[in-house]
Amino acid sequence: MILFEKFPYEKWSFATRNVMETLSPDQYNFLVIEQHIKDYKKGEVIFQQGHSLDGLYLMLNGMVKKSKDAGGGKEQILYIATAGELLGYHSIPTGDPYPDSAIAMEKSKIAFIPLEAFYHMKNSSAAFAQAYNRLSGQELSIIGNYASLGKSGHSEANLARALLVIGYKCNYDNTDKRVMEISISRHNLANLIDIAGDNVSRILGQFKASQLITSTGSKIRLLDIPKLIDLANAPFENIKN
């Protein structure tokens, strides 16, 4: 399909779904269903940068941003996670505090997996352990690609990339991705691509006038995916393999 051939969505997602897909139904029940599952409100903190590591989290639905304080009251969004992705696992090998914060961007259902349950599964399932160990090789490139959204100097292309990445992640289980819908505030889009909120609104207005998208409030519908991909691919030198 053209959507997958022309835009490298996989370069914006950690392969944590592959880790969970190694589990049998009984293993999944032990690791997820029998643990603590919580509904988070929009804006609620899942874990805080600098707090002690006590486990990891599995997104069951919703959308969460991993972010850091960039100073001067600014927020740097490092990653956006959706259903099926793991959060909070980056410090497990060292036991260091959480290196960033995770905040719900919309109503989200999330399972907390204590370290004891994680290590039990890692020690008892070779497939789970192998899939988890492969994650470490992705971190620098994936985080680097998110950081590149604010560094290329092409705001229109950066916003097109951001919309495509979020659209793909929010519609991961939807086999027909010719039209994708997302819900994200102008504030979060601005922090993601590191431009002023007024500029985000201006560029979204241009996209609407060109019939690339429609929007109502925070809800954005991506209409012309091929043209958005062409725009996003224009300055692609900063994307890491």
Side-chain angles (χ1 to χ4, degrees):
M1 180 182 291
I2 187 173
L3 304 184
F4 301 100
E5 293 173 353
K6 294 190 66 177
F7 189 81
Y9 294 99
E10 74 282 355
K11 298 187 186 301
W12 306 85
S13 293
F14 290 113
T16 56
R17 289 188 179 93
N18 295 346
V19 179
M20 301 306 296
E21 288 170 358
T22 66
L23 300 176
S24 69
D26 286 344
Q27 289 173 324
Y28 184 88
N29 285 338
F30 165 77
L31 197 63
V32 179
I33 303 302
E34 296 177 13
Q35 307 302 332
H36 180 64
I37 296 176
K38 179 180 175 181
D39 291 315
Y40 289 84
K41 299 176 182 177
K42 180 179 179 179
E44 191 170 357
V45 175
I46 295 94
F47 56 81
Q48 187 77 42
Q49 179 180 351
H51 284 195
S52 297
L53 174 72
D54 55 359
L56 62 161
Y57 298 79
L58 174 65
M59 296 284 300
L60 300 179
N61 60 44
M63 183 163 59
V64 165
K65 60 183 176 182
K66 282 164 53 73
S67 63
K68 283 185 174 182
D69 181 0
K74 293 189 65 176
E75 173 191 50
Q76 179 188 8
I77 296 179
L78 305 172
Y79 189 77
I80 291 177
T82 54
E85 296 194 80
L86 291 168
L87 293 165
Y89 63 89
H90 296 282
S91 292
I92 287 178
T94 62
D96 291 338
Y98 292 112
D100 44 43
S101 299
I103 303 168
M105 299 173 70
E106 62 186 33
K107 184 178 178 181
S108 303
K109 185 182 292 291
I110 303 173
F112 172 69
I113 302 172
L115 287 176
E116 295 81 2
F118 167 79
Y119 280 118
H120 173 82
M121 189 58 62
K122 188 170 183 284
N123 293 331
S124 61
S125 170
F128 180 88
Q130 289 170 2
Y132 168 76
N133 290 338
R134 284 194 289 268
L135 294 177
S136 61
Q138 287 189 309
E139 184 159 6
L140 289 178
S141 62
I142 298 292
I143 295 299
N145 287 340
Y146 275 85
S148 74
L149 286 172
K151 293 180 178 178
S152 75
H154 301 272
S155 297
E156 291 80 3
N158 289 341
L159 185 54
R161 288 184 199 171
L163 293 175
L164 288 166
V165 169
I166 299 166
Y168 178 79
K169 292 170 77 72
C170 290
N171 294 270
Y172 182 80
D173 292 324
N174 179 8
T175 57
D176 183 5
K177 295 182 175 67
R178 288 174 294 181
V179 174
M180 297 189 288
E181 293 184 347
I182 63 175
S183 179
I184 184 170
S185 69
R186 274 48 170 179
H187 173 76
N188 280 322
L189 281 173
N191 286 339
L192 184 60
I193 65 174
D194 194 24
I195 65 172
D198 288 346
N199 286 337
V200 168
S201 296
R202 175 182 58 79
I203 298 169
L204 287 176
Q206 293 173 355
F207 288 178
K208 289 177 71 173
S210 299
Q211 298 184 324
L212 302 181
I213 66 168
T214 61
S215 66
T216 303
S218 63
K219 295 187 182 300
I220 302 173
R221 185 176 176 88
L222 312 186
L223 300 178
D224 196 331
I225 306 295
K227 286 187 179 178
L228 283 169
I229 288 174
D230 288 341
L231 180 58
N233 282 341
F236 232 116
E237 66 276 3
N238 291 322
I239 301 303
K240 301 179 185 298
N241 293 315

